[in-house]
Amino acid sequence: DNRAPIEAVLASLSCAQKVERQLGLDFDTKWILAADDVAVFYLPQVQAWRRSGKVVTLYDEDESSGTRPRPVHLAAVSGASPRSGGDIGYYPTIGPPLRGVGNFTDSVRGVADTWIEYLAISRAYVAVLSSSGFGITAAQVGAVPHAFNGADCLRMDLSEA
């Protein structure tokens, strides 16, 4: 959720560790990290876990490779304005912010990746979620059996929502 502070991302990752142990999952269980702000991928903790293979993302830090576009927030494609103003990125001091949507091809590829992330969340065994409707609805659609709020690591009951 691009309205949340960086501490919320770190809290979610800590929650994922706790839940992994609590549910008795293998240590080599992969975590998929979906974010609409590239700054998240520049956090030292995230970079370390990505290098180790623990955290996987669709985002490619080496944008010059051309393999993956930057994440695209669905509100940017629809023309809606995010709460934080004209930038979709919220953490410009950590990494390059995402400023709206680039060219049409990147927009389409970015949105396609966004829906791939949505599908991945919906098919997960466990989801640690922000307050974003994106992740919560994906978990609801897929009837994810174990959903947790990343901020406080409390279990969420999405069956009645």
Side-chain angles (χ1 to χ4, degrees), residues 37-66:
D37 187 339
V38 296
V40 167
F41 305 119
Y42 287 91
L43 291 169
Q45 297 89 333
V46 172
Q47 289 185 328
W49 277 336
R50 286 179 74 192
R51 282 191 300 273
S52 75
K54 181 67 173 174
V55 169
V56 294
T57 71
L58 290 178
Y59 176 69
D60 182 2
E61 284 182 28
D62 181 11
E63 293 179 44
S64 64
S65 70

Side-chain angles (χ1 to χ4, degrees), residues 48-126:
W49 277 336
R50 286 179 74 192
R51 282 191 300 273
S52 75
K54 181 67 173 174
V55 169
V56 294
T57 71
L58 290 178
Y59 176 69
D60 182 2
E61 284 182 28
D62 181 11
E63 293 179 44
S64 64
S65 70
T67 57
R68 286 282 178 214
R70 294 169 69 126
V72 173
H73 192 288
L74 294 178
V77 176
S78 69
S81 177
R83 286 188 184 180
S84 60
D87 292 348
I88 301 299
Y90 190 73
Y91 316 110
T93 59
I94 293 175
L98 172 59
R99 298 195 181 273
V101 179
N103 64 44
F104 179 75
T105 302
D106 287 346
S107 298
V108 171
R109 288 178 65 208
V111 169
D113 282 353
T114 300
W115 287 116
I116 290 169
E117 291 170 339
Y118 188 90
L119 180 61
I121 294 167
S122 75
R123 301 195 57 171
Y125 179 66
V126 179

